[in-house]
Each structure stands twice: as structure tokens, then as C-alpha cells.
Amino acid sequence: EELKDKLKSSEDKVLRLLAETENLRKRHVREINESQQYAIKNFALSLLSITDNFQRALKAVPEKVPEDNLLKNLIIGIQALEKEFYETFEKNGITKFSSLNKKFDPEVHQAVSKVNHDKIEKGFICNELQLGFKIGERLLRPAMVVVSEGIQTQDTSSKNKSNQDELKKKEN
């Protein structure tokens, strides 16, 4: 009887140790995968400023470009480099996400300002100043956005006017 109890106790200990070992192995594999996936985080963050500069350069080009082949070729080259950057990012698990016309989410957006907007309802993003990026499922960089305050009502308009008047009085 005593031997049976000891045997049962030993079997229970062995099973618990096997389960614990299996859990440790799974956790270790998961941690290795995560560290491989997110190891490029700092490098990717430093490259994001380059993609931002590509966007700024392309936005600075006027819509009506003169018939200058050199300028057109330069623009095409910048667009090709930008596209290649994004493709390389995607191959490495880094994706950009669009925020325009989506509900503001403080987890993935950084609000820079709020503006009244007659077409976009309150709490939605009306302008994206800087793209947001994710690495895997984690946020790499939040999108810098402008959030709509909705349609400016007469009340709001008069409050803004009175606030501006008060500021002018203080300045004088």
C-alpha cells in the first residue's frame, strides 16, 4: 500500500516535471521567434526618417511639373526608391498603416492638433502628417495625425471669436 502511494506520487512528480519542461521549451521557442522578429526594431526606426524625407520631397514637387526630362526622371527615381524601401520593409515584417478618415485611436495615433472640419465627423482623422508603422503586430511608430472636431457651430465660432478678442486685449 505504501509502495503504491510512493509510486503514484513519483508518477505525479514526473508528469508535472515533463509538463513544466514542455512549457519551458514552448516559451523558449516563442521568445526566440519574437527576438528574431523584433531585433530589427532600432534599425527600422532609424530608417523611417529616410522614408519621411522621401514623402516630403515628393510632396514638395508642384503638381504641374515643367516639361523638363531631368526633373521628371528625378521624381521617378525618388518614387522608385520610396517604393523599394516599403517593399523591403514588408519583406522584413514592417508595414505602414493608413489613418486617414479612421477613428482616432491613442494606441496607434499621435494627435498633433484638432481642427474643425465640415466633412469629417468629430473624433476621426482628417490629415495624416506622418505615416505610422508596425513591426509584426507591435507598434513601431505611431502616425502623427490631425483630428477633426466636427462641423464648427455658431456657438463654437462665437467662443473662438471671444477667445481671440480676449487674447488681443491681454497683448495690449
Side-chain angles (χ1 to χ4, degrees):
E1 183 76 33
E2 189 178 317
L3 285 174
K4 285 182 180 180
D5 287 344
K6 283 185 178 181
L7 180 65
K8 204 172 207 176
S9 172
S10 295
E11 283 178 350
D12 187 48
K13 284 180 183 178
V14 168
L15 287 175
R16 288 179 190 272
L17 286 173
L18 284 173
E20 187 176 332
T21 304
E22 181 64 19
N23 288 337
L24 280 172
R25 186 191 66 75
K26 286 179 182 177
R27 188 173 78 206
H28 183 67
V29 167
R30 185 177 64 244
E31 286 174 357
I32 287 173
N33 289 337
E34 283 183 1
S35 70
Q36 287 173 343
Q37 184 178 14
Y38 300 113
I40 61 170
K41 178 184 177 189
N42 291 334
F43 181 66
L45 273 172
S46 61
L47 289 178
L48 290 180
S49 64
I50 297 171
T51 63
D52 294 338
N53 287 331
F54 281 134
Q55 283 188 332
R56 286 185 200 103
L58 290 172
K59 285 181 182 178
V61 175
E63 286 190 30
K64 293 185 180 179
V65 180
E67 291 297 319
D68 181 8
N69 280 339
L70 184 63
L71 185 59
K72 282 187 178 182
N73 288 339
L74 179 64
I75 294 168
I76 290 169
I78 291 173
Q79 289 171 334
L81 284 170
E82 182 186 36
K83 182 181 176 199
E84 190 172 348
F85 252 96
Y86 290 139
E87 287 172 354
T88 303
F89 277 171
E90 286 183 20
K91 286 178 189 174
N92 289 284
I94 301 165
T95 54
K96 61 182 177 176
F97 59 90
S98 177
S99 300
L100 210 52
N101 298 323
K102 294 188 177 166
K103 184 132 179 78
F104 177 76
D105 179 359
E107 296 291 322
V108 294
H109 299 124
Q110 179 181 351
V112 177
S113 68
K114 294 181 179 181
V115 296
N116 292 315
H117 201 285
D118 57 345
K119 293 181 182 169
I120 298 177
E121 68 181 272
K122 184 177 181 173
F124 281 76
I125 295 165
C126 57
N127 192 3
E128 187 172 44
L129 304 175
Q130 194 175 58
L131 285 173
F133 287 85
K134 288 185 176 186
I135 183 167
E137 294 299 314
R138 293 183 188 173
L139 183 67
L140 181 60
R141 180 181 77 183
M144 290 177 73
V145 297
V146 177
V147 182
S148 171
E149 281 290 289
I151 298 172
Q152 184 173 5
T153 61
Q154 192 64 28
D155 270 355
T156 317
S157 178
S158 60
K159 284 180 186 176
N160 287 342
K161 177 85 170 124
S162 64
N163 286 342
Q164 288 174 355
D165 291 342
E166 285 180 36
L167 284 173
K168 285 180 183 177
K169 287 178 185 176
K170 288 179 183 179
E171 287 175 359
N172 294 332

